Amino acid sequence: MSPRADALRNRARVLAAADEVFVEHGSTASTEEVARRAGVGVGTVFRHFPTKEALRDAVYAERLRRVGEEASRLADNTDAGAAFHEFFELLAGTSGPNQALTEALAASATDDQDVRGSLGVLLDRAQRAGAVRSDVGVDEVIALLIGATQATTWTADVSLRGRTLNIILDGLRPH
Amino acid sequence: MSPRADALRNRARVLAAADEVFVEHGSTASTEEVARRAGVGVGTVFRHFPTKEALRDAVYAERLRRVGEEASRLADNTDAGAAFHEFFELLAGTSGPNQALTEALAASATDDQDVRGSLGVLLDRAQRAGAVRSDVGVDEVIALLIGATQATTWTADVSLRGRTLNIILDGLRPH
Amino acid sequence: MSPRADALRNRARVLAAADEVFVEHGSTASTEEVARRAGVGVGTVFRHFPTKEALRDAVYAERLRRVGEEASRLADNTDAGAAFHEFFELLAGTSGPNQALTEALAASATDDQDVRGSLGVLLDRAQRAGAVRSDVGVDEVIALLIGATQATTWTADVSLRGRTLNIILDGLRPH
Amino acid sequence: MSPRADALRNRARVLAAADEVFVEHGSTASTEEVARRAGVGVGTVFRHFPTKEALRDAVYAERLRRVGEEASRLADNTDAGAAFHEFFELLAGTSGPNQALTEALAASATDDQDVRGSLGVLLDRAQRAGAVRSDVGVDEVIALLIGATQATTWTADVSLRGRTLNIILDGLRPH
DNA sequence: AATGAATGAGGTTTCATTCAT
DNA sequence: GATGAATGAAACCTCATTCAT
């Protein structure tokens, strides 16, 4: 009934298309390509995101939101150490497409308090469970997530990815 | 004074200029900017490197060469563990411009046997000295160099960079 | 309360808004801006004026109507010469926003008989009073109004505007 | 022999084409249209004039130069009054395309000292000859040139143009 | 070999106009 | 009738690449 429903749906479609296209071709991909993928005209993309930069920011913000969601979801896990490790594997590990999430962490200043909060809980519980050394904070975790993502992105060799990630996780263990 | 000498000198100047410009503005910087920095015309850039991609590849290859050089130089150090750590700090640590070297590792497939050889020596000696765990190979080291670079690039906070790098190096220690 | 009343009111609001916006930003201002100023949607603007050009023409026609009104109002003045001079000063003189009225004269072919009639009366009375030379007609007056407007628009210097306008009015005096 | 010869010729061709196109369609005409008229690619236009605004300014500057030239040429005329009148007729009178010259006067701030100088000489000599009233300066003349141009542009009726221009020139006569 | 002017495809953005709600 | 989201042509501008000098 409301015209907003359609508009919101289009906004979401554009955002999803931009996410996909940015994953495939980087955020320098043309706005026309994003529009084509979303099945809308260029004008529609610019109506929702008045600038290329605004579109990129929105994509990153949405990804950050999903990072926070994943962290929150895992924080419910009874084994806090396993949850922390799973989080790393999810974002930086063998599963490819999720790596885009980490790009958002790298791109934004990450003063996003929601994400920091979710990560903080996850980290705190892992530290209390004795699974992560106590002298690291959220910032180190973010830096290492970014690093681990890039490290594993470099190679297509899945087992190498796993070994590399484990080295980083070993560095995070107490002592 | 032979024409070939001039040509070679120009090639080197273009390469050096491209390296500088790419460090400053990324490899999306215009070829015109590279030519200006090198003090030559665009035509000259394209004579030596027929494509933007060829120029970028050449810059990366040159950087890789320097990575190998650094590794070789440090391999002479009597303290093999210290040499290994210094290498990491040099490429991924607090010192900014050297990080461009790691970009080359990340960008190329790194089947460059010279670099692999130099790194192999450095790693092997550190492992024999008991400073690095024995279950890692050159590939893991490359992946971690890339990761450490990105992790430390993310933040401008120098002390955070140091702490992050140390976590990765801790992960590389025996046990 | 009848639907037609609403529609007419909207038409008037759009017209007024367009006039304002065109004065401020020229007639290249976007229709969206006009709609915003009028407090209606773009669709409403296009319902009343099917084309940008139609809107501009309507604005000019409305301005012409106001030119005629001013001329008629001044024609009642007992001092016909003063009325004629005041008319020039009103449209082309120091007072800024009224200059938009003259734009309408310049833009349209000005075969508008109402305006020509009102101007004719004003001119005729001034000529009978001996304030304006007898060898000029309405067309010359219109041309000079346009010219005087542009001449005074050129500079922000108010006293220069006045002196320029006076020269033109001197040219219109008998002998 | 020098590559500059061709470049300069192209610059001149672009400038000439822009002048023509701006006369025909106003200075909002597209740069592509200018390029097409000049027989070059868009890139060439932007190489010589990095901005649309820069192109417009260059066109106006060139027109101003021609205004100054005309004024200087006429200043040699023995009959100073006739020279002054001829100048007005040339710029604002019946001859159509020259009106573009006046547009440049209107568009620029006209702090161009060359033009002011040339006009000053022409005016001064006319005043000394008793053909122009002594209480007007260069600014009034410029304003009136602009006004006369717009006044005569309004109509296609050549005799009306002449009569309008004469009224303005009458206003400039002593007493 | 070197130069840098020329080219034109392609990218971002705006805006008149249409049309589903 | 009104709304404003969607459309896509067109504008400005950039830049890799070519080529005449």
Side-chain angles (χ1 to χ4, degrees):
Chain A
M1 183 165 291
S2 79
R4 290 249 168 75
D6 258 35
L8 281 181
R9 185 148 52 95
N10 260 345
R11 201 195 122 98
R13 281 173 65 177
V14 168
L15 210 47
D19 195 326
E20 276 178 38
V21 171
F22 287 178
V23 164
E24 287 171 35
H25 304 100
S27 69
T28 62
S30 83
T31 308
E32 302 257 8
E33 173 69 21
V34 171
R36 192 158 35 238
R37 184 79 59 106
V40 302
V42 235
T44 302
V45 177
F46 279 95
R47 161 170 285 269
H48 289 292
F49 308 97
T51 292
K52 182 95 196 287
E53 200 190 5
L55 176 59
R56 216 186 43 226
D57 288 351
V59 167
Y60 285 152
E62 169 62 14
R63 285 184 189 172
L64 275 188
R65 205 185 52 70
R66 265 146 50 201
V67 169
E69 254 183 28
E70 292 294 349
S72 297
R73 189 175 59 76
L74 287 168
D76 295 340
N77 195 320
T78 46
D79 185 339
F84 186 82
H85 280 62
E86 199 181 331
F87 185 68
F88 254 81
E89 266 153 28
L90 179 68
L91 261 64
T94 54
S95 44
N98 276 323
Q99 296 187 340
L101 298 181
T102 322
E103 210 183 299
L105 282 172
S108 54
T110 317
D111 41 9
D112 184 307
Q113 293 306 320
D114 285 344
V115 180
R116 293 184 73 85
S118 307
L119 279 179
V121 171
L122 198 65
L123 171 62
D124 193 48
R125 295 197 55 201
Q127 286 172 323
R128 281 174 206 265
V132 171
R133 57 201 271 184
S134 56
D135 65 344
V136 304
V138 170
D139 285 327
E140 283 89 344
V141 171
I142 291 176
L144 287 170
L145 276 169
I146 292 165
T149 300
Q150 298 305 323
T152 58
T153 297
W154 168 66
T155 180
D157 179 339
V158 175
S159 85
L160 174 57
R161 285 186 176 188
R163 290 191 317 267
T164 303
L165 185 56
N166 279 333
I167 293 169
I168 292 176
L169 289 174
D170 279 350
L172 278 168
R173 250 182 267 280
H175 292 84
Chain B
M1 191 151 289
S2 84
R4 192 162 297 168
D6 260 32
L8 280 180
R9 186 148 54 96
N10 264 346
R11 203 195 120 99
R13 283 173 64 176
V14 167
L15 210 48
D19 195 329
E20 277 179 39
V21 170
F22 287 177
V23 164
E24 286 171 34
H25 304 102
S27 67
T28 63
S30 78
T31 309
E32 204 95 36
E33 172 71 18
V34 171
R36 191 159 35 238
R37 185 80 59 109
V40 301
V42 239
T44 302
V45 177
F46 276 92
R47 167 164 293 273
H48 289 294
F49 308 96
T51 293
K52 183 101 194 278
E53 202 190 3
L55 176 60
R56 217 183 41 228
D57 288 350
V59 167
Y60 285 150
E62 170 60 15
R63 285 184 189 171
L64 273 190
R65 206 184 52 69
R66 265 148 50 204
V67 170
E69 255 182 28
E70 292 293 349
S72 297
R73 189 174 60 76
L74 288 167
D76 295 340
N77 195 321
T78 46
D79 185 340
F84 187 83
H85 280 62
E86 199 181 331
F87 186 69
F88 255 81
E89 266 153 25
L90 181 68
L91 262 64
T94 54
S95 46
N98 278 322
Q99 295 187 343
L101 298 181
T102 321
E103 212 183 296
L105 284 172
S108 53
T110 319
D111 42 9
D112 183 306
Q113 292 307 320
D114 286 343
V115 180
R116 295 184 71 85
S118 306
L119 279 178
V121 171
L122 196 65
L123 172 62
D124 193 49
R125 296 196 56 200
Q127 284 172 324
R128 281 175 206 265
V132 170
R133 58 202 270 184
S134 56
D135 64 346
V136 305
V138 171
D139 285 328
E140 283 89 342
V141 171
I142 292 177
L144 287 170
L145 276 170
I146 292 165
T149 300
Q150 297 305 322
T152 59
T153 297
W154 169 65
T155 180
D157 179 339
V158 175
S159 85
L160 173 58
R161 285 187 178 189
R163 289 191 317 266
T164 303
L165 185 56
N166 280 333
I167 292 169
I168 292 176
L169 289 174
D170 279 349
L172 279 167
R173 252 182 265 280
H175 291 86
Chain C
M1 189 151 290
S2 83
R4 191 163 297 169
D6 259 32
L8 280 181
R9 185 150 53 96
N10 264 346
R11 202 194 121 96
R13 284 172 64 178
V14 167
L15 210 47
D19 194 327
E20 277 178 38
V21 170
F22 288 177
V23 164
E24 287 173 34
H25 304 102
S27 68
T28 62
S30 77
T31 310
E32 205 96 34
E33 173 72 18
V34 171
R36 192 160 34 238
R37 186 79 60 109
V40 302
V42 238
T44 302
V45 176
F46 277 91
R47 167 164 294 273
H48 289 294
F49 308 96
T51 292
K52 182 100 194 277
E53 202 190 3
L55 175 59
R56 216 183 43 228
D57 288 351
V59 167
Y60 285 150
E62 169 62 13
R63 285 185 190 172
L64 274 190
R65 205 186 50 72
R66 264 147 51 204
V67 169
E69 256 184 26
E70 291 294 348
S72 297
R73 189 175 59 78
L74 287 167
D76 295 342
N77 195 319
T78 46
D79 184 339
F84 186 81
H85 280 62
E86 198 180 331
F87 186 68
F88 255 80
E89 267 153 26
L90 181 69
L91 262 64
T94 54
S95 46
N98 277 323
Q99 296 188 341
L101 298 180
T102 321
E103 210 183 298
L105 283 172
S108 52
T110 319
D111 43 7
D112 183 307
Q113 292 306 322
D114 285 345
V115 181
R116 295 183 70 85
S118 306
L119 280 178
V121 171
L122 196 66
L123 172 62
D124 193 49
R125 297 196 55 200
Q127 286 172 324
R128 282 174 204 265
V132 170
R133 58 202 271 182
S134 56
D135 63 346
V136 305
V138 170
D139 284 328
E140 283 89 342
V141 170
I142 292 178
L144 287 170
L145 275 170
I146 293 166
T149 300
Q150 297 305 322
T152 58
T153 296
W154 168 66
T155 180
D157 178 340
V158 175
S159 85
L160 173 57
R161 285 186 177 188
R163 290 190 317 266
T164 303
L165 185 55
N166 279 334
I167 292 169
I168 292 176
L169 290 174
D170 279 352
L172 279 167
R173 251 181 266 280
H175 291 85
Chain D
M1 182 164 292
S2 80
R4 289 249 168 72
D6 257 36
L8 281 181
R9 185 149 51 95
N10 260 344
R11 201 195 123 99
R13 283 174 63 179
V14 168
L15 211 47
D19 194 326
E20 277 180 40
V21 171
F22 288 178
V23 164
E24 286 171 35
H25 304 101
S27 68
T28 63
S30 82
T31 308
E32 302 259 6
E33 173 69 19
V34 171
R36 193 158 33 239
R37 184 78 61 107
V40 301
V42 234
T44 301
V45 177
F46 280 96
R47 162 170 284 270
H48 289 293
F49 308 96
T51 294
K52 182 94 196 286
E53 200 190 6
L55 176 59
R56 216 187 41 226
D57 288 351
V59 167
Y60 285 152
E62 170 62 15
R63 286 184 188 172
L64 275 189
R65 204 185 54 71
R66 265 146 51 202
V67 170
E69 255 183 28
E70 293 294 349
S72 296
R73 188 174 60 75
L74 288 168
D76 294 341
N77 196 321
T78 47
D79 185 338
F84 187 81
H85 280 62
E86 198 180 332
F87 185 69
F88 255 80
E89 266 153 27
L90 181 67
L91 262 64
T94 54
S95 45
N98 276 323
Q99 295 187 340
L101 298 181
T102 322
E103 208 182 300
L105 282 173
S108 54
T110 318
D111 41 8
D112 184 307
Q113 292 306 321
D114 285 345
V115 179
R116 294 184 72 87
S118 307
L119 279 178
V121 170
L122 197 65
L123 172 61
D124 193 49
R125 296 196 56 201
Q127 286 172 323
R128 282 173 205 266
V132 171
R133 58 201 272 185
S134 57
D135 63 347
V136 304
V138 171
D139 285 328
E140 281 89 344
V141 171
I142 292 178
L144 287 170
L145 275 170
I146 293 167
T149 300
Q150 298 304 323
T152 58
T153 296
W154 168 67
T155 180
D157 179 339
V158 175
S159 84
L160 172 57
R161 285 186 178 190
R163 291 192 315 269
T164 303
L165 185 55
N166 279 334
I167 293 169
I168 292 176
L169 289 173
D170 278 350
L172 278 167
R173 250 181 267 279
H175 291 84

